[in-house]
Amino acid sequence: MGICFSRKSTRSTRIYSKRISNQSSTTSINKNSLNRWSRVRSSSVKKEKFDDALLHEQAIAAALLFQQHQQQNGAFDRSISLRHPSGGSNSKCHQGIPRSSSTRRRSLADPMLPLQQLINQEVNHEELETSHIVLVHGGGFGAWCWYKTMALLQECKFKVTTIDSSGCGIDLFDANDIKSLSQYVKPLTDFLEKIEDGEKVILAGHDFGGACISYAMELFPNKVAKAIFIAASMLKSGQSTLDMFSHKENTNDLMRQAQKFLYANGNNQPPTAIDLDKSLLKDLLFNQSTTKDVALASVSMRPIPFAPVLEKLSLSDSNYGSVRRFYIQTLEDNAIPISLQQLMINESPPEKVFRLKGSDHCPFFSKPQALHKLLVEIAKIK
């Protein structure tokens, strides 16, 4: 999530009228019609609820199986969820994508697009520079937050990798023990280091994940085809995440109320991590998201290591500057206000800017289909 520091630490029912008739047959017909209507309506409601819950149940089941597998094999040094696409490389997205369970009322300016137009886009992977997308989560989140985006991309035959940064998700590091940005992003840099020469990926970073992919772009510019910043910290050289979110344009009182500093080394020492008040998560991060996703986040989010947000990035034109950058703005964002997003864009202009209407700070929850559409569109840009 976006970090904003202050000097002081804070912690119908319908009523059916029954018309009595002297003709028993008429009464019987009316009752039969009402019963049929009730059964159809009940069936429709149950189907909608089933569709809404399906993706959540699948994601939770997958997460439990993955965690069990990790525990049995003792592979906690780096947690990466990786699935290879099935079928040919030249195909359309499968039909039957679980729909978004967002209950937000849509405005005329944010219409519902036909599902096939939004999701079932034809993607010729042979024409793409790469169809491998690496999703990098933001502060406090983990690889788990991408479950909707991952499912949608895989249906379109993309190869998707999601990574837990150190101290996040199911990684065993304690956030209070992380001393540097390099330590925090080590799972990502280890992954990129193992990619064979000549292969490239698209890095997509959310929130503090923007600083993480920037660090990786500087180290491995030849392995990154494009970088996508999703409501993310897009910094200049010599700038830290703390510098950006302490900017005078960012007057975020809600963030100041939600943040709670942790002092693992004692109250007379600098903070070691930042936690968030769970009672304020909905308003701060998920103001357009479903209650199910808020519940998932409230039990899955972990403290944010403090040292990495203090570290100033060293970015060069020859490395970081050689990678094509794109920015996705979230217009209903209470964590990184649109004014601050625009400031970062103005100070370090990317190749192209996209805007997500009706999205809170976490479009992978509140606008998963629209986010998916933009990721595919960016991947197809030549």
Side-chain angles (χ1 to χ4, degrees), residues 8-33:
K8 183 178 179 180
S9 302
T10 60
R11 46 132 269 113
S12 115
T13 301
R14 295 190 179 184
I15 301 176
Y16 297 97
S17 61
K18 188 180 295 182
R19 181 172 298 177
I20 301 176
S21 170
N22 291 330
Q23 298 179 357
S24 60
S25 61
T26 303
T27 302
S28 176
I29 291 172
N30 288 340
K31 288 183 177 179
N32 290 336
S33 299

Side-chain angles (χ1 to χ4, degrees), residues 209-228:
C212 298
I213 66 173
S214 297
Y215 183 92
M217 291 156 63
E218 179 65 26
L219 292 180
F220 303 100
N222 295 328
K223 295 185 178 182
V224 183
K226 296 170 185 172
I228 306 173

Side-chain angles (χ1 to χ4, degrees), residues 283-295:
D283 291 337
L284 179 64
L285 303 176
F286 312 115
N287 50 295
Q288 300 292 325
S289 299
T290 68
T291 55
K292 292 179 182 179
D293 286 326
V294 177

Side-chain angles (χ1 to χ4, degrees), residues 74-102:
F76 275 106
D77 58 326
R78 175 169 58 90
S79 53
I80 296 181
S81 176
L82 173 62
R83 277 185 54 187
H84 295 268
S86 59
S89 62
N90 221 354
S91 63
K92 296 182 180 180
C93 301
H94 290 174
Q95 295 184 357
I97 307 297
R99 65 181 176 82
S100 168
S101 56
S102 174

Side-chain angles (χ1 to χ4, degrees), residues 158-196:
F158 281 89
K159 181 178 177 180
V160 184
T161 301
T162 58
I163 298 176
D164 282 322
S165 298
S166 299
C168 301
I170 62 172
D171 183 87
L172 291 185
F173 260 103
D174 185 340
N176 293 288
D177 295 333
I178 296 174
K179 308 300 183 184
S180 66
L181 182 59
S182 62
Q183 183 183 5
Y184 180 74
V185 303
K186 191 174 188 301
L188 173 61
T189 54
D190 283 351
F191 171 77
L192 291 173
E193 189 172 14
K194 294 177 181 178
I195 293 179
E196 295 182 4

